[in-house]
Amino acid sequence: MVADQVEGQKLPPTLLALPGVQFSDTAGSQVPGMGVRLLQGLVEFLEILPTDNALTAHLQRLGAGDGQRYVLHDPDGMATAQKFALVDMDYILRNVPAYEMANEQLNQVSQRWEKEVNELSKAAETMYKNYQSDMVFLTDDQKKKREEEIVAKEKEVTDLRYKYFGPEGELYKKRQSLMKPIQEDVYNAVKAVAEEKGYQTIFDRASSQSIVFASPRIDVSNEVLAKLGYSK
């Protein structure tokens, strides 16, 4: 056991996995596919027992100037001190000009396609209203033909909307092409900071609901921006 072990306490073997971190994805405004990135390919396990007052008090005393240290250990109870840091991806991306330009492009494309879908949808609605107005004058064959035309137009609307806004539609592909290079640049910058500072893990505080409070001392967002060439 290392010096950071709670004096007189044997850490039990139960392991609680750190909660996952997911970067959000909504049309035209946030980053897609940026899921959990635990640097150096490691998934660390953190054991904190809230009911263990001695351990809780001890963990609260482990603040470091350039990164928080927690007691991590294996099932055999061998503890080691590990460093981690936080970043705020929302803050970082707001300060990356390429991200803002990509968002603007996505918004413009999305609005253009949405307008096209709406115009087609209005055409289908007009066809239906005209059919209702003319229905009393139509023969059965004419009614059947008009109904088929309306159904075909409505299907055209549905197909076009899916083409543009479906799960793997044109907007998704456009977002991927614009955002993937930015994602890679940000990840490489985060990784570089972690390697230079010796952090085993860096979490995104913007997307982790489990982080209630974190000291600004362990937020390395500005260092990541500096790596990207945008000093704050």
Side-chain angles (χ1 to χ4, degrees), residues 125-139:
E125 291 176 5
T126 300
M127 289 177 65
Y128 179 71
K129 289 178 180 179
N130 291 340
Y131 167 71
Q132 286 183 312
S133 299
D134 299 340
M135 191 163 49
V136 294
F137 306 110
L138 301 175
T139 66

Side-chain angles (χ1 to χ4, degrees), residues 109 112-114 116-117 158-173:
V109 168
R112 185 171 70 247
W113 289 339
E114 187 66 38
E116 185 178 343
V117 171
T158 300
D159 290 346
L160 186 63
R161 179 177 287 110
Y162 188 85
K163 173 187 175 182
Y164 288 148
F165 303 108
E168 295 186 7
E170 296 300 320
L171 185 61
Y172 169 82
K173 294 174 182 177

Side-chain angles (χ1 to χ4, degrees), residues 11 29 37 42 65-66 69 92 94 100 109 114 117 134 136 141 144 184 188 194 209 220:
L11 300 179
S29 63
R37 294 289 188 111
L42 298 177
D66 62 345
R69 289 158 59 240
I92 291 172
R94 284 197 307 270
E100 294 300 320
V109 168
E114 187 66 38
V117 171
D134 299 340
V136 294
D141 287 344
K144 182 178 179 181
E184 292 176 348
N188 288 334
Q209 297 179 354
V220 295

Side-chain angles (χ1 to χ4, degrees), residues 24-149:
S24 55
D25 176 18
T26 58
S29 63
Q30 295 174 315
V31 179
M34 288 277 287
V36 177
R37 294 289 188 111
L38 297 184
L39 302 182
Q40 302 172 347
L42 298 177
V43 177
E44 297 289 348
F45 290 97
L46 171 65
E47 174 167 309
I48 301 178
L49 303 180
T51 57
D52 187 336
N53 294 330
L55 178 56
T56 301
H58 182 71
L59 291 176
Q60 291 172 346
R61 295 195 298 269
L62 293 180
D66 62 345
Q68 181 72 29
R69 289 158 59 240
Y70 271 107
V71 174
L72 305 179
H73 64 90
D74 58 26
D76 296 326
M78 295 300 293
T80 57
Q82 304 287 346
K83 290 174 62 179
F84 73 87
L86 301 175
V87 293
D88 186 332
M89 287 302 303
D90 289 347
Y91 169 78
I92 291 172
L93 293 171
R94 284 197 307 270
N95 288 280
V96 175
Y99 176 76
E100 294 300 320
M101 289 189 293
N103 265 330
E104 182 60 28
Q105 290 184 52
L106 288 172
N107 287 333
Q108 292 176 1
V109 168
S110 177
Q111 290 173 12
R112 185 171 70 247
W113 289 339
E114 187 66 38
K115 181 180 179 181
E116 185 178 343
V117 171
N118 287 339
E119 288 175 351
L120 194 62
S121 179
K122 288 178 181 178
E125 291 176 5
T126 300
M127 289 177 65
Y128 179 71
K129 289 178 180 179
N130 291 340
Y131 167 71
Q132 286 183 312
S133 299
D134 299 340
M135 191 163 49
V136 294
F137 306 110
L138 301 175
T139 66
D140 288 344
D141 287 344
Q142 289 174 326
K143 289 180 182 178
K144 182 178 179 181
K145 181 180 178 182
R146 294 277 289 272
E147 289 169 357
E148 289 174 348
E149 289 173 348

